């Protein structure tokens, strides 16, 4: 079994199996599942899978980030299941709010042919560059043949949209394509800008007709699903193969040209006009916001909401000019700059390899390896990249750079910033400068601010192993304490209490709990337990005096939300349940549940060491006392 086959098999199993999947598509790096029950998926196991970069739950989709070879995994996934088969059953997945539904619809419609569109866009940009540099003549056979494929997908875009929209809306894809072909038929295009009469009813055609249009055909296919469903119910099965298509054509064609098409055109103009008005108000602000937040939008799947706007801008009705893509290029490339800084600064071999490859893939517009594998887990590099993207995006937008072809945002987008039929390369220069600013700023900020290098954690693990084996040079005896609570670890200095934060109570750590149970971290005796249940004092057999203080100022609750299972003087064994507390009730009353665990007699020992963890489960080692 190949690696892709194994990956597909594991992913399908971990999302809950085929029975839990309503549908699945893929984009440049992700498998996008629509699951019946997301809670049935083993999300943590997927995140820890060596062939999965990240799992994102957003926009009504369960997204498994695989990387640039996602299409190969997708093919194997379909081969191992029946998910690629046509179905007329309606999805029974939860609908979610309107925003999530729209994001899901847009991504499902555009994702299948995004690669083809990106390739055609890059080719169209390079053809423009070839004309500008004099490498090809506009009337040469080579140019005309290549331009036909580069421009064809955009000219007849409604046909592709009809096919994918029909699949999304569970209606006949070939009837939808026929409807789209009517919209872009040469005889209709020849009458663009005029008014027709359909049995006395006026048919208004826009100045550019419906070539390259987006919204009209999507709305038409959305309505068509109900029309087709109606005729399937009222027409006998024996006649459906001919009569249903005929009935759909007779109803939907005039309805689309007379009503739906004009409504879609107006809606598209309003959407494009709204964006251009905001951009016209302050290009600098628009560039800073889009450049700074674009990767955040991508993480949550919100970027799909901007795809129709870019395509509307590039349509003939939108003037064929888009100002959005140039300001996004710095945001994408900045992630690569931050990843490159991580490569140079980190001493961890695995992270260095990952960050270098991530920096290279970001050049081609694939940022998921950089974001999910490097910058986001390390936090500071991601923030540095967003800052670089904001500054670079603001510069590009302020310079007035424009885009003239659609494609993925990458270094190959630059030729598309040359206005067709001109030698004006100012847009390319401005975008290149802004992108350079973003890369350099992200690199410098990441290098200067630094990050938590995993090699430090590895050193901590070595230190822990030495202590456990008794080979550490810090002392002859060590006592390992188990975590009494499951949760995220934070240093005492971050606790919002001056006594604990200053270390006056002793050395230790604090935990932000994930649940409401406290267990014995070591064998010993309960020396103190407050009547309110919020604090427990333990003395171990080795003489360690330990204080577990649940929350800040929780003594004021007078025991409300706490339940104790031990009393002063009780002998305890490591792992015994000591206290339960209601975290939701406590936080609801305005109190923090951050819980310091400190060795109050730290001065009696050589040292109290932490194990450089970010989170812990109760019962796991988390403090070492050196005697």
């Amino acid at each position: 079994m190949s690696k892709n086959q194994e990956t597909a098999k594991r992913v399908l199993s971990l999302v809950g199996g085929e029975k839990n999947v309503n549908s699945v598509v893929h984009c440049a790096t992700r498998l996008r599942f629509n699951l019946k029950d997301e809670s049935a998926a083993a999300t943590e196991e997927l995140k820890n899978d060596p062939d999965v970069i990240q799992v994102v739950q957003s926009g009504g989709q369960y997204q498994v980030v695989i990387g640039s070879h996602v299409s190969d995994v997708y093919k194997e996934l379909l081969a191992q299941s029946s998910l690629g088969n046509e179905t007329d059953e309606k999805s029974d997945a939860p609908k979610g709010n309107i925003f999530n539904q729209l994001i899901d619809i847009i991504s499902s419609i555009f994702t299948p042919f995004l690669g083809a569109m990106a390739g055609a866009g890059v080719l169209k940009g390079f053809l423009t560059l070839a004309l500008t540099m004099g490498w090809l003549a506009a009337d040469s056979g080579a140019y005309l043949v290549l331009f036909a494929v580069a421009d064809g997908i955009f000219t007849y875009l409604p046909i592709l949209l009809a096919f994918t929209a029909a699949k999304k809306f569970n209606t006949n894809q070939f009837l939808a394509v026929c409807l789209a072909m009517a919209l872009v038929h040469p005889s209709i295009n020849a009458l663009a800008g005029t008014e027709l009469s359909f049995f006395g009813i006026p048919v208004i055609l826009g100045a550019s007709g419906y070539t390259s249009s987006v919204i009209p055909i999507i709305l038409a296919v959305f309505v068509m699903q109900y029309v087709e469903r109606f005729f399937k119910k009222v027409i006998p099965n024996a006649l459906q193969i001919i009569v249903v298509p005929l009935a759909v054509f007779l109803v939907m064609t005039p309805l689309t040209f007379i009503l739906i098409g004009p409504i879609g055109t107006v809606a598209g103009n309003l959407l494009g006009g709204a964006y251009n008005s905001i951009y016209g108000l302050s290009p600098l602000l628009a560039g800073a916001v889009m450049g700074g937040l674009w990767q955040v939008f991508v993480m949550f799947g919100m970027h799909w909401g901007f795809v129709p706007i870019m395509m509307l801008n590039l349509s003939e009705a939108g003037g064929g000019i888009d100002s959005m893509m140039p300001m996004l290029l710095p945001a994408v490339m900045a992630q690569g700059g931050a990843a490159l800084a991580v490569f140079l600064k980190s001493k961890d071999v695995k992270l260095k390899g990952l960050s270098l490859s991530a920096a290279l893939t970001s050049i081609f517009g694939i940022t998921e390896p950089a974001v999910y594998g490097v910058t986001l887990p390390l936090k500071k590099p991601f923030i540095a990249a967003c800052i670089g993207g904001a500054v670079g995006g603001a510069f590009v937008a302020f310079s007035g750079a424009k885009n003239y072809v659609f494609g993925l945002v990458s270094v190959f987008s630059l030729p598309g910033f040359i206005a067709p039929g001109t030698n004006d390369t100012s847009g390319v220069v401005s975008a290149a400068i802004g992108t350079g600013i973003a890369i350099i700023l992200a690199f410098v900020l990441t290098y200067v601010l630094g990050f938590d290098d995993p090699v430090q954690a590895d050193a901590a693990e070595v230190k822990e192993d030495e202590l456990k084996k008794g080979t550490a040079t810090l002392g002859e005896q060590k006592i390992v304490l188990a975590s009494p609570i499951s949760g995220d670890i934070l240093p005492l200095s971050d606790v919002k209490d001056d006594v604990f934060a200053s270390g006056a109570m002793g050395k230790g750590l604090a935990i932000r709990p994930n649940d409401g149970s406290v267990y014995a971290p070591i064998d010993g005796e309960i020396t103190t337990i407050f009547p309110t249940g919020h604090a427990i004092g333990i003395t171990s057999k080795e003489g360690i005096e330990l204080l577990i203080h649940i929350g800040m100022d929780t003594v004021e609750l007078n025991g409300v939300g706490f339940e104790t299972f031990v009393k002063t003087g009780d002998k305890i064994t490591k792992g015994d349940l000591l206290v339960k507390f209601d975290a939701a009730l406590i936080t609801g009353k305005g109190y923090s549940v951050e819980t310091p665990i400190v060795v109050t007699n730290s001065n009696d020992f050589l040292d109290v060491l932490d194990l450089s963890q970010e989170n812990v489960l109760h019962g796991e080692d988390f403090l070492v006392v050196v005697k």
Side-chain angles (χ1 to χ4, degrees), residues 161-184:
L161 291 171
F163 192 79
T164 55
K167 183 175 182 179
K168 177 62 181 175
F169 298 137
N170 290 313
T171 191
N172 189 295
Q173 291 172 282
F174 298 100
L175 297 183
V177 166
C178 288
L179 191 60
M181 288 177 173
L183 287 176
V184 296

Side-chain angles (χ1 to χ4, degrees), residues 18 47 52 107 183 207 225 245 310 315 363 368 392 434 448 452 519 528 554 561 578 581-582 617:
E18 183 178 345
K47 288 181 178 179
V52 173
S107 63
L183 287 176
Q225 66 176 313
M310 286 190 277
S315 68
I363 296 174
E368 278 84 353
V448 172
D452 295 328
Y519 301 87
T528 305
T554 45
L578 306 180
F581 59 94
D582 190 334
L617 297 175

Side-chain angles (χ1 to χ4, degrees), residues 396-604:
V396 172
F398 183 74
S399 69
K402 298 293 190 298
N403 176 48
Y404 300 90
V405 297
F406 187 84
L408 289 178
V409 184
S410 70
V411 69
F412 296 121
S413 302
L414 288 171
F417 302 161
I418 303 173
T422 72
N423 293 322
D424 184 7
T425 59
S426 60
V428 176
V429 174
S430 298
I433 293 174
T435 300
I437 291 172
I439 294 172
I440 293 171
L441 187 56
F443 178 92
V444 171
L445 286 175
T446 299
Y447 204 90
V448 172
L449 294 176
F451 47 87
D452 295 328
D453 197 341
V455 75
Q456 297 173 353
D458 294 340
E461 290 176 8
V462 172
K463 176 174 67 178
E464 179 187 3
D465 290 340
E466 289 177 344
L467 288 168
K468 287 182 177 179
K469 293 175 183 176
T471 59
T473 58
L474 294 172
E476 295 183 355
Q477 185 180 1
K478 47 70 179 163
I479 304 101
V480 181
L481 305 184
S483 175
I485 303 173
S486 299
D488 298 326
I489 291 179
L490 59 156
L492 286 178
S493 57
D494 287 354
V495 174
K496 296 178 181 177
D497 181 281
D498 292 340
V499 176
F500 284 109
S502 65
M505 291 295 295
K507 295 181 179 180
L509 290 169
I511 295 178
R512 187 177 292 111
N514 289 338
D515 57 38
S517 298
V518 182
Y519 301 87
I522 197 169
D523 296 344
E525 180 181 340
I526 300 294
T527 51
T528 305
I529 184 162
F530 279 71
T532 57
H534 79 286
I536 311 108
I538 301 171
T539 299
S540 76
K541 295 176 181 179
E542 298 83 4
I544 299 172
E545 297 174 5
L546 197 68
L547 173 64
I548 304 173
H549 194 285
I550 306 169
M552 297 291 105
D553 300 320
T554 45
V555 65
E556 298 173 2
L557 292 172
N558 294 317
V560 176
F562 292 87
E563 181 182 4
T564 59
F565 295 86
V566 290
K567 60 183 183 298
T568 301
D570 282 356
K571 303 295 184 181
I572 58 170
T573 301
K574 182 178 178 179
D576 287 348
L577 179 63
L578 306 180
V579 176
K580 281 191 172 183
F581 59 94
D582 190 334
L585 183 149
I586 295 170
T587 55
K589 291 183 178 293
Y591 295 91
S592 168
V593 291
E594 291 180 354
T595 301
I597 300 100
V598 298
V599 177
T600 56
N601 61 336
S602 297
N603 292 334
D604 295 343

